[in-house]
Amino acid sequence: PELYCQNITINAGENAVTFTDDSYFNTSFTNNGTGLVTFDGSATYGTSFINESPVLTTFKSSFTGTGNAEFAGDINLTDDADRFFSAGAGHSITTTNNLIVNTNSVNTIQINSTPTSKVIAKNFVLYSGKLKLNGTLESTGDIILLGPDYTTLDPQTGIDGIYLYNQTRPSPVNYT
């Protein structure tokens, strides 16, 4: 069943919270907990969305609102669906951490619904998927664009997350 409410404040402590269907927060959403938050369906908010959890928030469908949205942790846009990720005109979605996009190469994520909307993140990472930008995408750190063939497997060793590097320049230290 879909969730409809005027205002909601949740605090599940360190426990994960998952919204399994579409969620509509007519005025505000506040999470004071510190666990993972996942939205399997779309999430629509009114004037305020505040997630104080310092860990990952995952959106598998659209995230839209008419006011500002603030996140203390990473934001992950994933799953295989076209969707929107946008605050209202003159408003912003902000995280002090990373905004990560990882969908298949067919899907498009429309970031910002108006030219005066903003998405602000410390780092923006695009692993795979397509973006359509309307408004401002601002990074206070790095912007990393990797593409659909990106993998964390080292092509030489086949080990996940470990990369073989041969230092060929003269150096007091050699890495192999």
Side-chain angles (χ1 to χ4, degrees):
E2 296 177 336
L3 172 65
Y4 292 89
C5 59
Q6 186 69 22
N7 300 301
I8 188 169
T9 299
I10 59 173
N11 186 338
E14 295 177 358
N15 296 309
V17 175
T18 299
F19 294 88
T20 57
D21 228 324
D22 294 344
S23 303
Y24 302 91
F25 312 108
N26 194 38
T27 303
S28 67
F29 171 94
T30 303
N31 175 31
N32 298 319
T34 58
L36 297 170
V37 179
T38 301
F39 290 89
D40 289 341
S42 66
T44 305
Y45 68 96
T47 57
S48 173
F49 188 99
I50 300 171
N51 186 2
E52 297 175 358
S53 176
V55 296
L56 185 67
T57 300
T58 298
F59 293 100
K60 296 182 179 181
S61 192
S62 289
F63 176 71
T64 57
T66 58
N68 291 324
E70 300 172 19
F71 295 83
D74 291 342
I75 302 170
N76 187 24
L77 306 181
T78 188
D79 218 13
D80 299 333
D82 291 338
R83 91 255 343 249
F84 291 91
F85 185 74
S86 180
H91 295 282
S92 62
I93 298 171
T94 305
T95 180
T96 55
N97 285 299
N98 303 307
L99 173 59
I100 303 159
V101 176
N102 191 13
T103 68
N104 74 34
S105 60
V106 176
N107 301 116
T108 300
I109 297 176
Q110 164 107 25
I111 294 184
N112 298 321
S113 58
T114 71
T116 59
S117 299
K118 283 185 178 183
V119 172
I120 304 166
K122 179 178 180 184
N123 299 304
F124 174 76
V125 183
L126 173 66
Y127 286 113
S128 61
K130 296 177 185 176
L131 297 179
K132 182 177 181 184
L133 181 60
N134 185 13
T136 302
L137 175 62
E138 183 179 314
S139 171
T140 59
D142 296 319
I143 296 177
I144 303 165
L145 308 174
L146 297 170
D149 294 329
Y150 173 78
T151 179
T152 58
L153 292 177
D154 176 41
Q156 293 179 0
T157 66
I159 300 171
D160 189 31
I162 298 177
Y163 299 91
L164 182 63
Y165 176 71
N166 292 320
Q167 172 63 283
T168 58
R169 296 186 326 232
S171 172
V173 177
N174 282 316
Y175 300 95
T176 56

